[in-house]
Amino acid sequence: MSDSSLPAPTALPAADRPDVAARLRDALLGASFTADGLLELLGAPAYAALARSETVPALRATRGDTPLELLVRLFLLQQPVPAARVADVLPVPECLEAGWLTRVGGDELAATVDVRPYGGLDGEDWFIVSDLGCAVGGAGGIGSREEGVVLGVGGASTTLAGITVRTPVGSALDLGTGSGIQALHASRHATRVTATDVNPRALHITALTLALSGAPAADLRQGSLFGPVRDDETFDLIVSNPPFVISPGARLTYRDGGMGGDDLCRTLVQQAGERLNEGGFAQFLANWQHVEGEDWQDRLRSWVPRGCDAWIVQREVQDVTQYAELWLRDAGDHRGDPAEYQVRYDAWLEEFEARKVKAVGFGWITLRRTGSAVPSVIAEEWPHPVEQPLGDTVRAHFARLDYLRDHDDAALLDGHFRLVGEIVQEQVGLPGAEDPEHVVLRQQRGMRRATTVDTVGAGFAGVCDGTLSAGRILDAIAQLVGEDPALLRDRTPAQIRLLVEQGFLEPAH
Ligand SMILES: C[S@@+](CC[C@H](N)C(=O)[O-])C[C@H]1O[C@@H](n2cnc3c(N)ncnc32)[C@H](O)[C@@H]1O
C-alpha cells in the first residue's frame, strides 16, 4: 500500500565502498562519536529522551562547536551543518562521493542516513545505520513515512540481542535483519552470517551497518521468512525480531508481516525446526493471541516443531484496547485526523473480535534442536525484571533440562548439586511469628526468579555445595527433623527437579 503523497526515501550511501566506510568509521571514533561519548555529552536525561523520540533536550545539549556536537547534530538529529566545519572532522569529498553526506543549500551538508553509536556486549564501538529520523526512539510518528522505512535500534532489538546464546558457532541466520543489528552481534561469534529481509532497503542498510562497524560482510538475501534459505541449508543459530504486530492489515514492513493474526510468528517457529543443526538454537521475539476458550500455553506449545525443546516466556500481556493504542501511537496515528484515528482503532477491535482475541501476549521463544524422543517444552509467564544479557542463562537452562531428562529420581538422589551463586533466602510470615509461613529463595542474577520452598527444600538448598549426594543430604535432614528417610527420599525429588529446572541448583560434575 504505497501512498504517493508520502516523502520518497532518500538515496542510500553506496554499499560497495568499504574503503570510505572505514575512513568514516575512523573519523567518527576519533571524535568520540561512541555510545559512551554520546552519553557523556548529552547527559542521562537528554540521552533517555532520545529513546522516547524527543530531540529537543539533545538539540540543546549540542549547540556548541566541538566535533562530537557537530556529528550528533549531523547523524542523529538530522541537522544541516556548515560544510567548512564538517571538513575539519570528516573526509568530506569521499563521504559526498559515496553518498553518506549530501549538499543542502550553498554551504551546508546533511547526512543521508542516521548513524547511531552502539556499544556491543563486549564493549565494541559499533554504528547502526537506519533511515533518517529512525536512529533512536523507535517509530513514534512513523506513519507519515514510506512503508519500507528501516528503523534503527529499539527496545525489542536490544532484548533479542541480550537473550541470544553467544557460543561460537559456524553459521547464523538473522531473519528480518532490518538495520542489521542482530547480524552485527552474530558476526562476533559466528563464522558465517546470513541476513535476510523482504525489504531490499534493509539489506542495503545492513551492509552499511556492518561496514561502518568494521564487521565482516554478511551473506545478504532478499525474501520472505525462510524463502531465501536453500532446501539443504541449516544453521547453528537462528535469530529473528520479526514483524510480529497483530494488525488488521499490513501497513509498515518493519512491524506488519502481512499474515493474519499471529500466523507469521507461528509459521516462523514451526519452520525453524528443520532449519536448525543438532544442538542449534532458534530465538525469536513474538506476539501471540489469547483466544477465547483456549489456553495460551497450550496454543504456544502446539507451535513447537518436532525434534525441538522449547522455552517460551511470556513477558507481558495487554488487553486488545491497550494493544491497538500502542501500535496506533507507534504509527503516529494519534497525531493525525481524529476521525481517521477512530476508524483505524475500530478496525483493530473489529479484527480482534472476529478472531475471538481477548488479549495479546509478548515474549520470547527459544527452540533448541535435540532430536530427543521426549522433548521438553516449557511455556511460562515471567513478567518481572531480569538481568540482561541473558544468553548464558538461556544456554544453561537447556543444559539443565538435558540433565533432568537423563536422570530419573533414583539417579537424581545419587547426583551432587551446587547452590547457584547470589541466591538469598527470604522468610515470609506475620510480624512477630516464631516460624515463617513460607520460605522464598530469590536469585539476584539472570532471570531473577523467586520460588517458595518448604523448610526441607530450603535446608537442602543451603547444604548443596557439591560435596554430598542429594540422597545423603536428605538422610541427614531426615535425622535432624525426625522424619522417615525413605519417605523424604520419596517426596523430595520433585522439589529438587524444580530447583534445578529454574536454575537455583546446578549439577556439580
Ligand atoms: C521489527 S524489524 C527487526 C529489525 C532488526 N532485526 C532488529 O532486531 O531491530 C522486522 C524486520 O523484518 C522484515 N520483514 C517484514 N516481513 C518479513 C518477512 N515476511 N520475511 C522476512 N523479513 C520480513 C522487515 O522489513 C524488518 O526489517
Side-chain angles (χ1 to χ4, degrees):
M1 269 193 291
S2 254
D3 179 338
S4 55
S5 68
L6 298 180
T10 56
L12 293 173
D16 59 356
R17 292 298 305 271
D19 53 327
V20 178
R23 287 206 58 194
L24 177 56
R25 171 180 170 72
D26 288 346
L28 297 177
L29 292 176
S32 296
F33 188 61
T34 61
D36 288 345
L38 195 60
L39 181 60
E40 197 175 321
L41 171 71
L42 298 184
Y47 190 79
L50 273 183
R52 301 191 299 271
S53 303
E54 298 292 352
T55 51
V56 174
L59 283 166
R60 289 177 61 81
T62 54
R63 287 177 296 192
D65 206 23
T66 66
L68 181 55
E69 284 166 296
L70 189 110
L71 291 177
V72 174
R73 287 206 301 278
L74 195 57
F75 284 119
L76 275 181
L77 302 172
Q78 302 88 43
Q79 299 294 301
V81 172
R85 284 295 295 118
V86 185
D88 294 338
V89 187
L90 299 179
V92 168
E94 291 94 325
C95 286
L96 280 170
E97 186 205 332
W100 289 94
L101 298 175
T102 184
R103 283 194 191 283
V104 284
D107 53 2
E108 287 196 318
L109 296 175
T112 54
V113 284
D114 276 10
V115 174
R116 172 181 169 172
Y118 174 72
L121 296 171
D122 294 319
E124 301 92 340
D125 284 320
W126 285 333
F127 299 99
I128 306 293
V129 179
S130 62
D131 267 317
L132 282 177
C134 297
V136 283
I142 218 88
S144 61
R145 290 170 185 265
E146 226 270 330
E147 61 177 338
V149 65
V150 178
L151 297 196
V153 180
S157 326
T158 50
T159 297
L160 178 62
I163 64 171
T164 301
V165 175
R166 300 279 171 209
T167 42
V169 291
S171 56
L173 170 67
D174 172 18
L175 196 153
T177 190
S179 65
I181 175 176
Q182 312 300 339
L184 179 59
H185 277 282
S187 73
R188 291 285 293 158
H189 62 108
T191 314
R192 291 180 310 285
V193 177
T194 304
T196 70
D197 208 292
V198 275
N199 184 357
R201 192 169 175 86
L203 296 175
H204 189 140
I205 284 185
T206 291
L208 298 173
T209 289
L210 295 173
L212 196 57
S213 297
D219 181 352
L220 303 172
R221 301 185 200 168
Q222 191 191 346
S224 180
L225 295 169
F226 289 99
V229 175
R230 290 191 309 272
D231 285 349
D232 61 345
E233 212 173 3
T234 51
F235 299 88
D236 300 317
L237 175 70
I238 299 173
V239 289
S240 186
N241 168 14
F244 49 62
V245 179
I246 302 169
S247 63
R251 251 173 94 203
L252 294 161
T253 314
Y254 72 84
R255 62 174 222 190
D256 304 314
M259 291 170 92
D262 52 17
D263 280 355
L264 185 129
C265 289
R266 178 179 54 75
T267 307
L268 206 53
V269 173
Q270 285 176 336
Q271 294 185 354
E274 57 192 22
R275 299 296 177 192
L276 275 181
N277 290 329
E278 192 75 13
F281 285 93
Q283 299 191 263
F284 307 108
L285 299 187
N287 280 187
W288 46 80
Q289 299 171 158
H290 284 225
V291 180
E292 199 176 304
E294 282 183 43
D295 178 85
W296 76 265
Q297 282 150 312
D298 288 346
R299 193 156 181 282
L300 267 282
R301 281 192 203 101
S302 77
W303 291 6
V304 176
R306 207 192 302 265
C308 288
D309 287 343
W311 185 19
I312 298 159
V313 183
Q314 180 166 275
R315 296 286 294 153
E316 191 186 347
V317 184
Q318 291 194 348
D319 69 46
V320 290
T321 60
Q322 291 170 308
Y323 191 79
E325 287 161 28
L326 172 71
W327 296 111
L328 285 164
R329 281 174 178 275
D330 171 83
D333 293 335
H334 60 306
R335 298 204 192 110
D337 173 18
E340 204 172 305
Y341 177 80
Q342 225 167 342
V343 170
R344 286 196 197 276
Y345 196 154
D346 193 56
W348 221 296
L349 296 187
E350 188 71 28
E351 168 83 359
F352 283 136
E353 199 172 292
R355 291 180 180 272
K356 295 193 164 57
V357 175
K358 294 283 159 207
V360 177
F362 294 63
W364 318 328
I365 300 177
T366 302
L367 305 177
R368 190 193 46 161
R369 190 165 180 90
T370 65
S372 165
V374 199
S376 157
V377 177
I378 295 174
E380 63 171 320
E381 189 152 17
W382 187 250
H384 307 293
V386 297
E387 186 197 38
Q388 284 272 37
L390 271 174
D392 278 347
T393 302
V394 173
R395 187 191 40 71
H397 167 93
F398 285 91
R400 292 192 309 271
L401 290 187
D402 280 346
Y403 178 90
L404 291 174
R405 183 163 34 209
D406 293 346
H407 291 73
D408 62 14
D409 285 357
L412 206 64
L413 291 173
D414 280 341
H416 294 236
F417 299 94
R418 200 178 295 117
L419 187 67
V420 171
E422 298 186 56
I423 286 174
V424 295
Q425 172 177 307
E426 294 166 2
Q427 311 220 353
V428 182
L430 283 176
E434 225 168 81
D435 293 319
E437 260 167 50
H438 57 260
V439 176
V440 172
L441 299 183
R442 188 179 294 281
Q443 300 166 350
Q444 309 290 303
R445 315 297 306 265
M447 290 292 282
R448 295 197 168 127
R449 290 181 190 278
T451 193
T452 303
V453 285
D454 61 18
T455 44
V456 170
F460 177 85
V463 177
C464 279
D465 63 0
T467 322
L468 294 175
S469 72
R472 292 277 304 280
I473 296 174
L474 288 183
D475 293 346
I477 292 177
Q479 208 171 30
L480 216 66
V481 299
E483 195 173 331
D484 180 347
L487 285 180
L488 201 60
R489 276 176 172 256
D490 215 37
R491 75 174 166 88
T492 315
Q495 197 170 179
I496 299 177
R497 261 179 207 285
L498 195 75
L499 289 174
V500 174
E501 183 187 304
Q502 297 201 339
F504 290 89
L505 296 177
E506 61 188 5
H509 299 294

